[in-house]
Amino acid sequence: MTQTVAVLGTGKIGEALLSGMIRAGWPAGDLLVTARRAERAEELRTRYGVEAVTNAEAAKSADILILAVKPQDMGRLLDELAPHVTTDRLVISAAAGITTGFIEDSLASGTPVVRVMPNTPVLVDEGMSVISAGSHATAEHLGHAEAIFGGVGKTLRVPESQQDAATALSGSGPAYFYFLVEAMTDAGILLGLPRAQAHDLIVQAAIGAAVMLRDSGEHPVKLREAVTSPAGTTISAIRELENHGVRAALIAALEAARDRSRELATGNG
């Protein structure tokens, strides 16, 4: 691999991408990092053997720039990069709610931009990263993004118009499961189980169910019905979930997440 990749804003997600690229075969000598604090930059240099540079230096020398800063910091970062980014660079944004149009307007006309919405399981190589092309990005540019983010999980291409919906489902998705596990753990305690045992039971049930969903090819309704015996314990629980409107609440919650993503995209932070 001969392209130089710079990760700008190497927090948890940025570091996950960095370590994923190294495991996927990128030589450390072809990777650059930037960090706001000098001690963080030194930590990354020591841990991964990569060169720590300024944002301007990264823009001048890297073929691919991964913008992994917080959305509220994107404007300031683009101001730093704009004088140095030429149209032969690929800019990949991993900032929630930031559109490719916003980035394109801040850089030289014709700069290829790819928007990616990863989620936190990239930290354990089980992430889902949703990828969209900007106005000047080609299939080759999308392929570069897939090669990088595919090292820490799966990728999916969608039109940018679907990014807000993908953010609601995938970007925020892990939090919904953590919320559910938290509630089920409390229920286990109420039913008389120690917290640690309740937690272990629920986590393993979640892992097993996820693997079955992924590997069986069966519709979730069919998998649920396989657990649901006539007049049994499961159907009694599901009746209560329906009585309390859990399905409707989930749909409303995801709509709210989508709407908030749209607000962030328009700068209403």
Side-chain angles (χ1 to χ4, degrees):
M1 301 178 186
T2 58
Q3 290 185 312
T4 301
V5 180
V7 182
L8 284 68
T10 316
K12 287 185 178 180
I13 298 296
E15 184 176 356
L17 292 173
L18 178 67
S19 62
M21 283 187 283
I22 290 174
R23 289 192 302 275
W26 259 272
D30 291 339
L31 299 174
L32 305 173
V33 298
T34 76
R36 183 175 296 177
R37 295 179 293 107
E39 57 268 31
R40 173 62 172 166
E42 178 62 21
E43 176 187 342
L44 293 166
R45 187 193 65 78
T46 302
R47 183 176 300 167
Y48 298 104
V50 297
E51 185 179 359
V53 297
T54 67
N55 291 327
E57 289 169 340
K60 293 175 184 178
S61 56
D63 301 297
I64 300 174
L65 303 171
I66 302 174
L67 313 185
V69 298
K70 296 177 180 178
Q72 59 267 32
D73 295 330
M74 183 62 78
R76 184 171 64 251
L77 175 61
L78 291 172
D79 288 342
E80 287 187 61
L81 300 180
H84 311 292
V85 175
T86 54
T87 57
D88 60 344
R89 304 285 196 261
L90 169 60
V91 176
I92 300 175
S93 170
I98 302 296
T99 65
T100 59
F102 177 84
I103 296 172
E104 289 167 350
D105 289 344
S106 302
L107 301 176
S109 178
T111 301
V113 179
V114 173
R115 177 179 174 182
V116 184
M117 183 67 244
N119 60 13
T120 54
V122 299
L123 298 169
V124 292
D125 293 348
E126 291 292 348
M128 187 72 215
S129 298
V130 184
I131 297 176
S132 301
S135 301
H136 311 291
T138 65
E140 182 180 3
H141 294 132
L142 290 173
H144 289 318
E146 288 171 334
I148 293 169
F149 285 82
V152 289
K154 292 188 175 183
T155 63
L156 178 69
R157 295 187 191 184
V158 303
E160 189 168 11
S161 61
Q162 296 178 1
Q163 273 281 356
D164 294 317
T167 296
L169 267 72
S170 178
S172 300
Y176 314 145
F177 288 96
Y178 301 145
F179 184 86
L180 181 61
V181 168
E182 179 187 3
M184 291 176 68
T185 300
D186 287 343
I189 296 169
L190 179 66
L191 298 175
L193 292 170
R195 176 176 292 276
Q197 288 185 4
H199 176 81
D200 289 347
L201 288 169
I202 294 161
V203 169
Q204 187 56 39
I207 292 170
V211 171
M212 290 183 71
L213 277 168
R214 184 190 65 192
D215 296 347
S216 70
E218 298 285 0
H219 192 283
V221 169
K222 189 168 183 179
L223 293 173
R224 177 176 60 78
E225 288 177 344
V227 188
T228 310
S229 304
T233 59
T234 306
I235 192 62
S236 296
I238 289 173
R239 180 186 63 184
E240 288 302 313
L241 292 173
E242 296 289 7
N243 286 343
H244 286 80
V246 172
R247 187 187 304 267
L250 282 171
I251 293 172
L254 267 67
E255 287 181 326
R258 178 207 58 196
D259 294 345
R260 181 56 179 155
S261 182
R262 288 176 176 171
E263 290 175 358
L264 290 172
T266 59
N268 295 324

